[in-house]
């Protein structure tokens, strides 16, 4: 357990707050099939979740040609949006956010989603206004670059050490390490435990209930 307390808790979105991993993996794979490109495995598709969309596509489907990118993005959005309205927060997440806010924590989001996508998701979840601030991949440099975390801390007048990053991918943990923030990894999202433990984390938890147990003792 860390001796310090954290003022700010920054959450990743997909696979951390919202159960969207399967929908993203399907959209990545179906889009490749639509274009006649090699279809990545589910493991390959899930590994790129959290990156900016263009970087994710290049890594998941490395043989894609430049001229195919616009159509791939179009097909990805088509497949993802078919599932988007049905996506839900992981069980226990809304209550956890309420408890953290009630304990005095500042809450933020750093996500690989686009601004339009996050705003739509916040509205669908009824979470508009729940977070002090949010950052998206298309607003700056995507994960694992530290830009999102550093920009959030700068806006809120905090040091990176006062922020705790919560994420389900090595991209989230790498961003936190580069920014100088501590992190907690969750294993119920996109990356398996054996990948997550390659990056430093204060804890690696298997459920929202376990996440709650570790977080509430670290808020000041």
């Amino acid at each position: 357990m860390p001796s310090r307390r954290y003022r700010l808790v920054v959450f990743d979105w997909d696979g951390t707050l919202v159960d969207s991993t399967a929908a993203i993996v399907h959209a990545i794979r179906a889009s490749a099939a639509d274009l006649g490109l090699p279809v990545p495995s589910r493991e390959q598709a899930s590994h790129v979740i959290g990156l900016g969309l263009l970087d994710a596509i290049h890594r998941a489907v490395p043989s894609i040609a430049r001229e195919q990118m616009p159509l791939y993005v179009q097909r990805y959005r088509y497949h993802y949006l078919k599932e988007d309205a049905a996506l839900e927060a992981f069980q226990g997440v809304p209550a956890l956010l309420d408890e953290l806010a009630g304990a005095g924590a500042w809450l933020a989001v750093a996500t690989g989603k686009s601004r339009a996508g996050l705003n739509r998701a916040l509205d669908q979840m009824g979470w508009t206004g729940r977070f002090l601030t949010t950052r998206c991949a298309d607003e700056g440099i995507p994960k694992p670059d530290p830009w999102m975390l550093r920009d959030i801390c700068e806006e809120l007048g905090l040091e990176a050490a006062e922020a705790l990053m919560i994420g389900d991918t090595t991209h989230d943990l790498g961003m936190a390490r580069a920014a100088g923030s501590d992190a907690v990894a969750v294993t119920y999202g996109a990356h398996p435990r054996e990948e997550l433990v390659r990056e430093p984390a204060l804890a690696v938890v298997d459920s929202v209930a376990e996440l709650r147990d570790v977080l509430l003792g670290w808020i000041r």
Side-chain angles (χ1 to χ4, degrees):
M1 294 292 225
S3 58
R4 69 167 61 103
R5 295 291 184 264
Y6 302 94
R7 180 170 297 176
L8 171 67
V9 183
V10 183
F11 288 94
D12 170 59
W13 187 271
D14 293 302
T16 301
L17 294 176
V18 177
D19 188 4
S20 51
T21 299
I24 297 171
V25 167
H26 170 72
I28 290 171
R29 300 180 79 237
S31 302
D34 289 348
L35 272 64
L37 295 165
V39 177
S41 68
R42 286 180 172 81
E43 292 75 17
Q44 289 169 322
S46 65
H47 189 268
V48 303
I49 293 174
L51 300 172
L53 181 57
L54 297 183
D55 191 18
I57 294 169
H58 279 297
R59 293 197 192 192
V61 191
S63 62
I64 191 169
R66 180 189 298 270
E67 59 270 18
Q68 293 174 299
M69 285 294 290
L71 182 56
Y72 187 104
V73 170
Q74 182 186 76
R75 297 308 297 166
Y76 173 85
R77 288 175 174 157
Y78 167 77
H79 289 294
Y80 181 77
L81 289 173
K82 284 173 63 178
E83 309 291 333
D84 186 47
L87 297 178
E88 296 181 346
F90 287 104
Q91 185 174 0
V93 162
L96 172 61
L97 296 177
D98 287 341
E99 283 193 85
L100 289 171
W106 294 358
L107 305 180
V109 168
T111 176
K113 300 181 85 66
S114 67
R115 171 52 61 187
L118 180 61
N119 285 350
R120 183 182 63 249
L122 287 166
D123 184 61
Q124 288 175 181
M125 293 290 171
W127 289 356
T128 300
R130 179 181 280 270
F131 301 96
L132 276 181
T133 192
T134 60
R135 292 295 184 279
C136 298
D138 60 352
E139 296 174 322
I141 308 173
K143 302 170 188 175
D145 188 273
W147 173 79
M148 278 194 265
L149 264 180
R150 287 178 174 170
D151 205 54
I152 286 171
C153 289
E154 181 177 351
E155 177 186 342
L156 299 179
L158 299 178
E159 299 295 327
E162 297 179 277
L164 182 64
M165 180 70 203
I166 315 300
D168 68 310
T169 72
T170 55
H171 315 308
D172 300 311
L173 305 183
M175 176 178 66
R177 171 175 49 78
S181 298
D182 289 329
V184 172
V186 302
T187 65
Y188 52 78
H191 286 190
R193 176 183 286 270
E194 56 265 29
E195 291 188 20
L196 294 170
V197 296
R198 296 173 189 166
E199 287 283 353
L202 296 178
V204 181
V205 302
D206 299 320
S207 67
V208 175
E210 192 177 350
L211 179 62
R212 174 192 178 277
D213 289 343
V214 300
L215 285 185
L216 288 177
W218 295 346
I219 302 305
R220 67 179 184 187

